[in-house]
Structures are given as C-alpha cells and as structure tokens.
Amino acid sequence: MLDVALVGTGGMMPLPNRWLSSVLVRYQGRLVLFDCGEGTQISLRRLGWGFKDIGLILISHVHGDHVTGLPGLLLTLGNSGRTEAVRLVGPAGFREIVEHLLVVAPHLPFDVHCRELKAGECFELAGLKITCGAAEHNVPCLAYRIDVPRGRRFLPERARELGVPIQYWKLLQRGETVAGVKSEAVLGPPRRGLAIGLVTDTRPTDSLVRLVTEVDLLIGEGMYGSDDDQPRAIERKHMTFREVARLAAQARAEQLVLTHFSPSVVDPQVFAANARELFPETTVGQDHLTLTLSFRDE
C-alpha cells in the first residue's frame, strides 16, 4: 500500500489558497518528498504526516518554486529530532544550488547527501525503485517514476509436497535454495507492483510516455487549463490540461491527477473537461488531496 498527498498544486508563486507544487509519498513508515518550493514546510505541517521520516527529496529542477523551500524544511527536520542522513537528488547543477541554499542552514544534526542524476538512472531505497527521465524545460529538469515491486506469492502447499520443513520456508521466500529445492518451485507467478509518475515543468515527449507507461497514478502538471494557452505553454515549456491528458492516455496510466497550476488559472475545475475528453480518469488536484494505492487483487 502506498499513500500519496498533494502538498501543494501551484506554479510560479504560492497563493493565499494554493501552496507551491509538491508531492509527498508514504511507504512503510518512510516519506519521500517531490519538489520543495517556498512555504512547503507550512503546507506539510497542515497535512499532518510529520517531518521526521522524510529521508529522500526528489527535485525536478532548480527554479525557485521547486527548490527554495529546502533550507527551511531541513532545519525543521532537524528540530523534529531527525539524526539520520537525508538524501537529495536532482538534475545537473543541482548540487551547487544546494550548497548555496544551505549557507543559511549550516548546522544540521544529520548529513545531507546530494546526488545529481542523469536521465535513465535509477536507484533503490527501502523497497522503492526510483527512475528518472529527462523533461523538456528551459533548464535541466527531471521527471520521476517510483515503483513498489511486489514479491511472488509463496505456495505453502507446494513446499509441503516437496518435503521442506516449515522452519526453512522463510529462506525459500527470500530466494534461497533449501535441501535442493529452489525458491522458484514454491513461488507463484510474478505479480504486478505499484507505480506512480511525477511529471512537471515540461513539454510532452515520447520519452516521458515511456517513463510513465502503465503507472497506477500519474501526477502531471497542468500549467494552463485553456486550449487557447497552448502557444504560451510551448513558449514557456509547460503543458496544458489537454496535453498532459494525452500523455496519460498514451502511457496507459490508470489515473491522472493534475497539479502545478498557473496563478492565472483561478479555478482549475473550470477546465477539467479539456483533460477528461482525452483521459476520463482525471482528477483536478487540490492542496492536501490524498490517495491510497493498493496492490491489485489476483
């Protein structure tokens, strides 16, 4: 089971009723944050999921509305009692920006590990697999995919038939061989896991479609709601509601949640039909919207 919350849904600047675009993912007691613009820690406090367990922060790019909340958030993590290292990842040039931002937060009670990723790179953390892909913006920008693999079902009746004592079943579940019996002999077929895609500040591209193919949830930017704003979206390298809906359809996503709305989009719901015409399973995001993803029943 995976919990997802929209910490904020705004682009460019925080508004009185809309915090900057950010997403929090919770899995087995650990928290992963995607983007951290100014004021993010205030919205996180209102969300109520806590701070101490944020151990990984994914940054899409180094524009202020996605990164300038880091010093305050890290200081708050320290005040919450965290002593474990915090990992920050982002695109090329990200490490230098973090070094400058942390001038105002020089004494943290934990280490900060900063890593720059290239498109296509992936890593694992506490049962999650994170893969990044290139977004098309006017600075280096990354989109992310988070996968929760699902183990194959253990077949106790098969283990009994093969004469494996019950005290060794856990070894088989871990993939080990016991008394000549391989784990494959007592495990069911592969099972589908869970996956979410995090895509913001970009034009739609084929590589992004491949990155988020068949995700259970795509959280994608809808900077502009009206189709009339497509020339502006092209110029500023963002997406309209219709464009991100087309991306979700091409990727065969299960559901789409729109976020990162321009300050000019006062009521995003007005333009919901522009997305739903192409992708009916579209939700117009709002601050503190939460969703829970569960493994599919077999």
Side-chain angles (χ1 to χ4, degrees):
M1 190 163 59
L2 193 72
D3 297 316
V4 182
L6 300 187
V7 181
T9 56
M12 295 179 61
M13 64 186 75
L15 300 175
N17 61 345
R18 187 188 297 165
W19 296 103
L20 287 173
S21 178
S22 180
V23 178
L24 191 63
V25 177
R26 180 168 60 190
Y27 179 65
Q28 293 186 346
R30 295 176 181 266
L31 297 174
V32 177
L33 184 68
F34 171 64
D35 278 342
C36 188
E38 57 185 299
T40 295
Q41 64 167 316
I42 302 173
S43 186
L44 281 170
R45 189 174 297 279
R46 291 183 178 178
L47 178 65
W49 285 15
F51 293 91
K52 188 175 180 181
D53 296 320
I54 299 176
L56 173 65
I57 302 175
L58 311 172
I59 298 295
S60 60
H61 63 297
V62 295
H63 280 165
D65 58 332
H66 294 262
V67 75
T68 52
L70 278 174
L73 176 61
L74 293 174
L75 285 169
T76 300
L77 286 178
N79 289 332
S80 73
R82 185 177 180 92
T83 57
E84 297 175 79
V86 175
R87 299 176 64 177
L88 310 179
V89 301
F94 171 62
R95 182 179 289 107
E96 181 181 2
I97 297 298
V98 171
E99 290 174 355
H100 291 308
L101 288 172
L102 291 187
V103 168
V104 297
H107 305 297
L108 296 170
F110 50 78
D111 293 330
V112 175
H113 301 310
C114 188
R115 176 182 175 186
E116 295 181 0
L117 297 176
K118 297 179 181 178
E121 285 193 85
C122 63
F123 62 94
E124 295 186 8
L125 177 69
L128 299 175
K129 178 183 177 183
I130 295 97
T131 308
C132 70
E136 185 184 321
H137 200 40
N138 49 25
V139 296
C141 187
L142 295 174
Y144 294 90
R145 177 187 178 114
I146 300 177
D147 283 279
V148 182
R150 189 180 189 188
R152 295 161 63 182
R153 185 184 299 279
F154 180 71
L155 306 175
E157 66 281 1
R158 182 61 178 153
R160 292 190 186 95
E161 290 174 2
L162 294 172
V164 181
I166 192 171
Q167 63 266 32
Y168 297 119
W169 286 5
K170 287 186 178 180
L171 299 179
L172 290 170
Q173 289 175 292
R174 292 202 297 259
E176 299 181 26
T177 298
V178 176
V181 177
K182 295 183 178 180
S183 61
E184 288 79 3
V186 295
L187 298 178
R191 297 188 289 182
R192 189 180 189 276
L194 293 171
I196 64 173
L198 303 163
V199 178
T200 188
D201 290 65
T202 183
R203 296 293 299 146
T205 66
D206 291 341
S207 64
L208 288 176
V209 171
R210 291 191 292 272
L211 176 70
V212 299
T213 292
E214 297 184 345
V215 293
D216 297 273
L217 171 64
L218 172 60
I219 299 177
E221 77 146 23
M223 186 70 169
Y224 303 107
S226 172
D227 295 340
D228 295 338
D229 284 323
Q230 186 170 7
R232 189 188 307 182
I234 293 172
E235 176 189 356
R236 301 182 181 181
K237 296 191 181 298
H238 286 285
M239 287 189 286
T240 64
F241 279 26
R242 190 176 299 275
E243 288 178 314
V244 68
R246 183 178 295 112
L247 189 154
Q250 291 173 337
R252 303 185 300 281
E254 289 290 320
Q255 57 179 316
L256 167 66
V257 172
L258 299 174
T259 188
H260 198 275
F261 309 121
S262 166
S264 65
V265 181
V266 178
D267 183 3
Q269 290 287 353
V270 171
F271 305 100
N274 290 343
R276 291 178 181 144
E277 286 177 10
L278 293 180
F279 193 79
E281 297 302 319
T282 296
T283 298
V284 177
Q286 58 185 3
D287 291 11
H288 305 148
L289 171 69
T290 60
L291 305 96
T292 297
L293 304 179
S294 301
F295 291 122
R296 294 181 182 180
D297 294 333
E298 294 184 317

